[in-house]
Amino acid sequence: MLALATVGFAVNFWAWALLSPLGPRFQDRLDLTSFQQSLLVAVPVVVGSLGRIPVGALTDRFGGRAMFPIVSAATVVPVLHLGLAGHSSLAALLVGGFFLGIGGTAFAVGVPFVNAWFPPERRGLAIGVFGAGMGGTAISALTTVKLVDAHSMSTPFLITAAVLAVYAVTAALLLRDAPGRTTPTEPLARRLAATARLGITWQASALYTVAFGGYVAFSVYLPTYLKTGYGLTQADAANRMAGFVLVAVAMRPVGGWLSDRLGPVRVLAGALAVVVAGAVAQSFTPALAPMGTIAFLAMAGALGAGSGATFALVALLTPADRIGSVTGVVGAAGGLGGFVPPLVMGSMYGEYGTYAAGLALLAIVAAAALVYTLIRVRAAAEGGGGKRPTDRRGERRIAGTTT
């Protein structure tokens, strides 16, 4: 079930990220401004993010067995639109990108689905493994431009639509919800209101805005940044973005695994400190080899580990029947965190001709999140912000984690 959910997450994220590698090409073909290009790649992010709130709540009610096939099948429609007719104008691209956001809601389906299959002391690693499905963006980065160059603009969209359709059918046939899964009976609006009253909802949202939001922002804007700031070719920039994504993907389960052993608060604090250092270093626009590459890869690893640690915190401190709803809100916050930076970076570059201010702003935001983690989040964990499991010997409880 974990493997099937992870594949579903990866396939939907592959679709969700199709427009990003082609951003520079659409800019040249349609004569877009920097802001218009940033808006084009950011629209699927914001729609996919906000859509996670109702989709997470619906997953609590109906389970991942129903929601995974529905989300995957629904994403086929905008992918086909973009491939067949929706890439000829900015308006058509924005419409397709809007509905392409459906693919981004798959995250809010998978977290409660996976969470229900594992005991508390293993959820950090399990959800981290599932979170590695965000590597679907790497598939898009590595293949989209090459397929367009070798065949046509329609090719990557048609292939992705076919894969989504196959997965939707496979999920409908093979997925099973965990035995004994807690199913809420309250109306959707009441459950969302109760979710909003949980402290962990807003603590995790703040942290995920920085961790996953930073990852999403780089994954959609890094090709443009490298092409504009360092003069790389589109293909080279896309390949380097794929490397960034792969490092982040690899570190996400590591972050969950470390959280099971050291506690998510410690892992989050360490990850955010690395992001601060990397953003400060890159704000000076150093040479890409080696300093720029080191800074970006360090931030990639930290953002991946921080994302895994955030949901280890959610899994430990959230009541079982609220996991989907909390995941939806937290996932929305993370996605929205990825929506704003590309717009800011594009606007600042258009105004000042440099990305330094945007990276300095990232360093400031990450530093504020680090302070928040060490003060507020740690206090909430130590004060029993939610149900915390005992360790496997049942002898004692450690704040925010198990041993």
Coordinates of all heavy atoms in Angstrom, one line a residue, residues 68-134:
F68 N -7.7 8.4 -4.4 CA -6.5 8.3 -5.3 C -7.0 8.2 -6.8 O -6.5 8.9 -7.7 CB -5.6 7.2 -4.9 CG -4.3 7.7 -4.3 CD1 -3.9 7.3 -3.0 CD2 -3.5 8.7 -4.9 CE1 -2.7 7.7 -2.5 CE2 -2.3 9.1 -4.3 CZ -1.9 8.7 -3.1
P69 N -7.8 7.2 -7.1 CA -8.3 7.1 -8.5 C -9.0 8.3 -9.0 O -8.9 8.7 -10.2 CB -9.2 5.9 -8.5 CG -8.8 5.1 -7.3 CD -8.4 6.1 -6.3
I70 N -9.8 9.0 -8.1 CA -10.6 10.1 -8.5 C -9.7 11.3 -8.9 O -9.8 11.9 -10.0 CB -11.6 10.6 -7.4 CG1 -12.7 9.5 -7.3 CG2 -12.1 11.9 -7.7 CD1 -13.6 9.8 -6.1
V71 N -8.7 11.6 -8.0 CA -7.8 12.7 -8.3 C -6.9 12.4 -9.5 O -6.7 13.3 -10.4 CB -6.8 12.9 -7.1 CG1 -5.7 13.8 -7.4 CG2 -7.7 13.5 -5.9
S72 N -6.4 11.2 -9.7 CA -5.6 10.8 -10.8 C -6.4 10.9 -12.1 O -5.9 11.5 -13.1 CB -5.0 9.4 -10.7 OG -4.3 9.3 -9.5
A73 N -7.6 10.4 -12.2 CA -8.4 10.5 -13.4 C -8.8 11.9 -13.7 O -8.8 12.3 -14.9 CB -9.7 9.7 -13.2
A74 N -9.1 12.7 -12.7 CA -9.4 14.1 -13.0 C -8.3 14.9 -13.5 O -8.4 15.9 -14.3 CB -9.9 14.8 -11.7
T75 N -7.0 14.6 -13.1 CA -5.9 15.3 -13.6 C -5.6 15.0 -15.1 O -4.9 15.8 -15.8 CB -4.6 14.9 -12.8 OG1 -4.9 15.1 -11.4 CG2 -3.4 15.7 -13.1
V76 N -6.1 13.9 -15.6 CA -5.9 13.6 -17.0 C -6.5 14.7 -17.9 O -5.9 15.0 -19.0 CB -6.6 12.2 -17.4 CG1 -6.5 11.9 -18.9 CG2 -5.8 11.1 -16.6
V77 N -7.6 15.2 -17.5 CA -8.3 16.2 -18.4 C -7.4 17.4 -18.7 O -7.2 17.8 -19.9 CB -9.6 16.6 -17.8 CG1 -10.4 17.6 -18.7 CG2 -10.5 15.4 -17.6
P78 N -6.9 18.2 -17.7 CA -6.1 19.3 -18.0 C -4.8 19.0 -18.7 O -4.3 19.8 -19.5 CB -5.8 20.0 -16.7 CG -6.1 18.9 -15.6 CD -7.1 18.0 -16.2
V79 N -4.2 17.8 -18.4 CA -3.0 17.4 -19.1 C -3.3 17.2 -20.6 O -2.5 17.7 -21.4 CB -2.5 16.1 -18.5 CG1 -1.3 15.5 -19.3 CG2 -2.0 16.3 -17.1
L80 N -4.4 16.6 -21.0 CA -4.7 16.5 -22.4 C -5.0 17.8 -23.0 O -4.7 18.1 -24.2 CB -5.9 15.5 -22.5 CG -5.7 14.0 -22.3 CD1 -7.0 13.3 -22.4 CD2 -4.7 13.5 -23.3
H81 N -5.7 18.7 -22.3 CA -6.0 20.0 -22.8 C -4.7 20.8 -23.1 O -4.5 21.3 -24.2 CB -6.8 20.8 -21.8 CG -6.7 22.3 -22.0 ND1 -7.5 22.9 -23.0 CD2 -6.0 23.3 -21.4 CE1 -7.2 24.2 -22.9 NE2 -6.3 24.5 -22.0
L82 N -3.7 20.7 -22.2 CA -2.4 21.4 -22.5 C -1.7 20.8 -23.6 O -1.0 21.5 -24.4 CB -1.6 21.4 -21.2 CG -2.1 22.3 -20.1 CD1 -1.4 21.9 -18.8 CD2 -1.8 23.7 -20.4
G83 N -1.7 19.5 -23.8 CA -1.0 18.8 -24.8 C -1.6 19.0 -26.2 O -0.9 19.1 -27.2
L84 N -2.9 19.0 -26.3 CA -3.6 19.1 -27.6 C -3.9 20.5 -28.1 O -3.8 20.7 -29.3 CB -4.9 18.2 -27.5 CG -4.7 16.7 -27.2 CD1 -6.1 16.1 -27.1 CD2 -3.9 16.1 -28.3
A85 N -4.3 21.4 -27.2 CA -4.7 22.7 -27.7 C -4.3 23.8 -26.8 O -4.4 25.0 -27.2 CB -6.2 22.7 -27.9
G86 N -3.9 23.5 -25.5 CA -3.8 24.6 -24.5 C -2.4 25.3 -24.4 O -2.1 25.9 -23.4
H87 N -1.5 25.1 -25.4 CA -0.2 25.7 -25.3 C 0.1 26.8 -26.3 O 1.2 27.2 -26.5 CB 0.9 24.6 -25.4 CG 0.8 23.8 -26.7 ND1 0.2 22.5 -26.7 CD2 1.2 24.0 -28.0 CE1 0.2 22.0 -27.9 NE2 0.8 22.9 -28.7
S88 N -1.0 27.3 -26.9 CA -0.9 28.2 -28.0 C -1.0 29.7 -27.6 O -0.7 30.6 -28.3 CB -1.9 28.0 -29.1 OG -3.2 28.0 -28.6
S89 N -1.5 29.9 -26.3 CA -1.6 31.3 -25.8 C -1.5 31.3 -24.3 O -1.7 30.2 -23.7 CB -3.0 31.8 -26.2 OG -4.0 31.2 -25.5
L90 N -1.2 32.5 -23.8 CA -1.1 32.6 -22.3 C -2.4 32.2 -21.6 O -2.4 31.5 -20.6 CB -0.6 34.0 -21.9 CG -0.5 34.3 -20.4 CD1 0.5 33.3 -19.8 CD2 -0.2 35.7 -20.2
A91 N -3.5 32.7 -22.2 CA -4.8 32.4 -21.6 C -5.1 31.0 -21.5 O -5.6 30.4 -20.5 CB -5.9 33.2 -22.3
A92 N -4.9 30.2 -22.6 CA -5.1 28.8 -22.6 C -4.2 28.1 -21.6 O -4.6 27.1 -21.0 CB -4.9 28.3 -24.0
L93 N -2.9 28.5 -21.5 CA -2.0 27.9 -20.6 C -2.5 28.1 -19.2 O -2.3 27.2 -18.3 CB -0.6 28.5 -20.8 CG 0.2 28.0 -22.0 CD1 1.4 28.8 -22.3 CD2 0.6 26.5 -21.8
L94 N -3.0 29.3 -18.9 CA -3.4 29.6 -17.5 C -4.6 28.8 -17.1 O -4.7 28.3 -16.0 CB -3.7 31.1 -17.3 CG -2.5 32.0 -17.4 CD1 -2.9 33.5 -17.3 CD2 -1.5 31.7 -16.2
V95 N -5.5 28.6 -18.1 CA -6.7 27.8 -17.8 C -6.3 26.3 -17.6 O -6.7 25.7 -16.6 CB -7.7 27.8 -19.0 CG1 -8.8 26.8 -18.8 CG2 -8.3 29.2 -19.1
G96 N -5.4 25.8 -18.4 CA -4.9 24.4 -18.2 C -4.1 24.3 -16.9 O -4.3 23.3 -16.2
G97 N -3.3 25.3 -16.6 CA -2.5 25.3 -15.4 C -3.4 25.3 -14.2 O -3.1 24.7 -13.2
F98 N -4.5 26.0 -14.2 CA -5.4 26.1 -13.1 C -5.9 24.7 -12.7 O -5.9 24.3 -11.6 CB -6.6 27.0 -13.5 CG -7.6 27.2 -12.4 CD1 -7.5 28.2 -11.4 CD2 -8.7 26.3 -12.3 CE1 -8.4 28.4 -10.4 CE2 -9.6 26.5 -11.2 CZ -9.5 27.5 -10.3
F99 N -6.4 24.0 -13.7 CA -7.0 22.6 -13.5 C -5.9 21.6 -13.3 O -6.1 20.5 -12.7 CB -7.9 22.2 -14.6 CG -9.2 23.0 -14.6 CD1 -9.4 24.1 -15.4 CD2 -10.2 22.8 -13.6 CE1 -10.6 24.9 -15.4 CE2 -11.4 23.5 -13.6 CZ -11.6 24.6 -14.5
L100 N -4.7 21.9 -13.8 CA -3.5 21.0 -13.6 C -3.2 20.9 -12.1 O -2.7 19.9 -11.6 CB -2.3 21.5 -14.3 CG -1.1 20.5 -14.4 CD1 -1.5 19.3 -15.2 CD2 0.1 21.3 -15.1
G101 N -3.6 21.9 -11.3 CA -3.4 22.0 -9.9 C -4.1 20.8 -9.2 O -3.7 20.5 -8.0
I102 N -5.1 20.1 -9.8 CA -5.7 19.0 -9.2 C -4.7 17.9 -8.8 O -4.8 17.3 -7.8 CB -6.8 18.4 -10.1 CG1 -7.9 19.4 -10.3 CG2 -7.3 17.1 -9.5 CD1 -8.9 19.0 -11.4
G103 N -3.7 17.8 -9.7 CA -2.7 16.8 -9.4 C -1.9 17.0 -8.1 O -1.5 16.1 -7.4
G104 N -1.8 18.3 -7.7 CA -1.1 18.6 -6.5 C -1.8 18.3 -5.2 O -1.2 18.2 -4.2
T105 N -3.1 18.0 -5.4 CA -3.9 17.6 -4.2 C -3.6 16.1 -3.7 O -4.1 15.7 -2.6 CB -5.4 17.8 -4.4 OG1 -5.8 16.8 -5.4 CG2 -5.7 19.2 -4.9
A106 N -2.9 15.3 -4.6 CA -2.7 13.9 -4.2 C -2.0 13.8 -2.9 O -2.1 12.7 -2.2 CB -1.9 13.3 -5.4
F107 N -1.2 14.8 -2.5 CA -0.4 14.7 -1.3 C -1.4 14.5 -0.1 O -1.1 13.8 0.8 CB 0.4 15.9 -1.1 CG 1.2 16.0 0.1 CD1 2.3 15.2 0.3 CD2 0.8 16.8 1.2 CE1 3.1 15.2 1.5 CE2 1.6 16.9 2.4 CZ 2.7 16.1 2.5
A108 N -2.5 15.3 -0.1 CA -3.5 15.3 1.0 C -4.2 14.0 1.0 O -4.9 13.7 2.0 CB -4.4 16.5 0.9
V109 N -4.2 13.2 -0.1 CA -4.8 11.9 -0.1 C -3.8 10.8 0.6 O -4.2 10.0 1.4 CB -5.1 11.4 -1.5 CG1 -5.7 10.0 -1.5 CG2 -6.1 12.4 -2.1
G110 N -2.6 10.9 0.2 CA -1.6 9.9 0.6 C -1.2 9.9 2.0 O -1.0 8.8 2.6
V111 N -1.1 11.1 2.6 CA -0.6 11.1 4.0 C -1.5 10.4 5.0 O -1.1 9.6 5.8 CB -0.3 12.6 4.5 CG1 -0.1 12.6 6.0 CG2 0.9 13.1 3.7
P112 N -2.9 10.7 5.0 CA -3.7 10.0 5.9 C -3.9 8.5 5.5 O -4.0 7.7 6.4 CB -5.1 10.7 5.8 CG -5.0 11.5 4.5 CD -3.6 11.8 4.3
F113 N -3.8 8.2 4.2 CA -3.8 6.8 3.8 C -2.7 6.0 4.4 O -2.8 4.9 4.9 CB -3.8 6.8 2.3 CG -3.8 5.4 1.7 CD1 -5.0 4.6 1.6 CD2 -2.6 4.8 1.3 CE1 -4.9 3.3 1.1 CE2 -2.6 3.6 0.7 CZ -3.7 2.8 0.6
V114 N -1.4 6.6 4.2 CA -0.3 5.9 4.7 C -0.2 5.9 6.2 O 0.1 4.8 6.9 CB 1.0 6.5 4.1 CG1 2.3 6.0 4.8 CG2 1.1 6.3 2.6
N115 N -0.6 7.0 6.8 CA -0.5 7.1 8.3 C -1.4 6.0 9.0 O -0.9 5.4 10.0 CB -1.1 8.5 8.7 CG -0.9 8.7 10.2 OD1 0.1 9.1 10.7 ND2 -2.0 8.5 10.9
A116 N -2.5 5.7 8.4 CA -3.4 4.6 9.0 C -2.8 3.2 8.9 O -3.2 2.4 9.7 CB -4.7 4.7 8.3
W117 N -1.8 3.0 8.0 CA -1.3 1.7 7.9 C -0.1 1.4 8.8 O 0.3 0.2 8.9 CB -0.8 1.5 6.4 CG -1.9 1.0 5.5 CD1 -2.5 1.8 4.6 CD2 -2.4 -0.3 5.4 NE1 -3.5 1.0 3.9 CE2 -3.4 -0.3 4.4 CE3 -2.1 -1.5 6.0 CZ2 -4.1 -1.4 4.0 CZ3 -2.9 -2.7 5.6 CH2 -3.8 -2.6 4.6
F118 N 0.4 2.4 9.5 CA 1.6 2.2 10.3 C 1.4 2.6 11.8 O 0.7 3.5 12.1 CB 2.8 3.0 9.7 CG 3.3 2.5 8.4 CD1 2.7 2.8 7.2 CD2 4.4 1.6 8.4 CE1 3.1 2.2 6.0 CE2 4.9 1.1 7.2 CZ 4.2 1.4 6.0
P119 N 2.2 1.9 12.7 CA 2.1 2.3 14.1 C 2.9 3.6 14.3 O 3.7 4.0 13.5 CB 2.8 1.2 14.8 CG 3.8 0.6 13.8 CD 3.0 0.8 12.5
P120 N 2.6 4.4 15.4 CA 3.2 5.7 15.6 C 4.7 5.7 15.5 O 5.2 6.7 14.9 CB 2.7 6.1 17.0 CG 1.4 5.3 17.2 CD 1.6 4.0 16.5
E121 N 5.4 4.7 16.0 CA 6.8 4.8 16.0 C 7.5 4.6 14.7 O 8.7 4.8 14.5 CB 7.4 3.8 17.0 CG 7.2 2.3 16.6 CD 5.9 1.7 17.1 OE1 5.1 2.5 17.6 OE2 5.8 0.5 17.0
R122 N 6.7 4.3 13.6 CA 7.2 4.1 12.3 C 6.6 5.1 11.3 O 6.9 5.1 10.1 CB 6.9 2.7 11.8 CG 7.6 1.6 12.6 CD 7.3 0.2 12.2 NE 7.7 0.0 10.8 CZ 7.2 -1.0 10.0 NH1 6.3 -1.9 10.5 NH2 7.6 -1.2 8.8
R123 N 5.8 6.0 11.7 CA 5.1 6.9 10.8 C 6.0 7.9 10.2 O 5.8 8.3 9.1 CB 3.9 7.6 11.5 CG 2.7 6.6 11.7 CD 1.6 7.3 12.5 NE 0.5 6.3 12.8 CZ -0.4 6.5 13.7 NH1 -0.4 7.6 14.5 NH2 -1.3 5.6 13.9
G124 N 7.0 8.4 11.0 CA 7.9 9.4 10.4 C 8.6 8.9 9.2 O 8.6 9.5 8.1
L125 N 9.1 7.7 9.2 CA 9.8 7.1 8.1 C 8.8 6.7 7.0 O 9.1 7.0 5.8 CB 10.5 5.8 8.5 CG 11.2 5.0 7.4 CD1 12.2 5.9 6.7 CD2 11.9 3.8 8.0
A126 N 7.7 6.2 7.3 CA 6.7 5.8 6.3 C 6.2 7.0 5.5 O 6.1 7.0 4.3 CB 5.5 5.1 7.0
I127 N 5.8 8.1 6.2 CA 5.3 9.3 5.5 C 6.5 9.9 4.8 O 6.3 10.5 3.7 CB 4.7 10.2 6.5 CG1 3.4 9.5 7.1 CG2 4.3 11.5 5.9 CD1 2.7 10.3 8.1
G128 N 7.7 9.8 5.3 CA 8.9 10.3 4.6 C 9.1 9.6 3.3 O 9.4 10.2 2.2
V129 N 8.9 8.2 3.3 CA 9.0 7.5 2.1 C 7.9 7.9 1.1 O 8.2 8.1 -0.1 CB 8.9 6.0 2.4 CG1 8.8 5.1 1.1 CG2 10.2 5.5 3.2
F130 N 6.7 8.0 1.6 CA 5.7 8.5 0.7 C 6.0 9.9 0.1 O 5.8 10.1 -1.1 CB 4.3 8.5 1.5 CG 3.3 9.3 0.7 CD1 2.6 8.7 -0.4 CD2 2.9 10.6 1.1 CE1 1.6 9.5 -1.1 CE2 2.0 11.3 0.4 CZ 1.3 10.7 -0.7
G131 N 6.5 10.7 1.0 CA 6.8 12.1 0.5 C 7.9 12.1 -0.6 O 8.0 13.1 -1.3
A132 N 8.7 11.0 -0.7 CA 9.7 11.0 -1.8 C 9.0 11.0 -3.1 O 9.7 11.2 -4.1 CB 10.6 9.7 -1.6
G133 N 7.7 10.7 -3.1 CA 7.0 10.8 -4.4 C 7.0 12.2 -5.0 O 6.7 12.3 -6.2
M134 N 7.4 13.2 -4.2 CA 7.5 14.5 -4.8 C 8.6 14.5 -5.9 O 8.7 15.5 -6.7 CB 7.8 15.6 -3.7 CG 9.1 15.5 -3.1 SD 9.3 16.6 -1.7 CE 11.0 16.5 -1.3

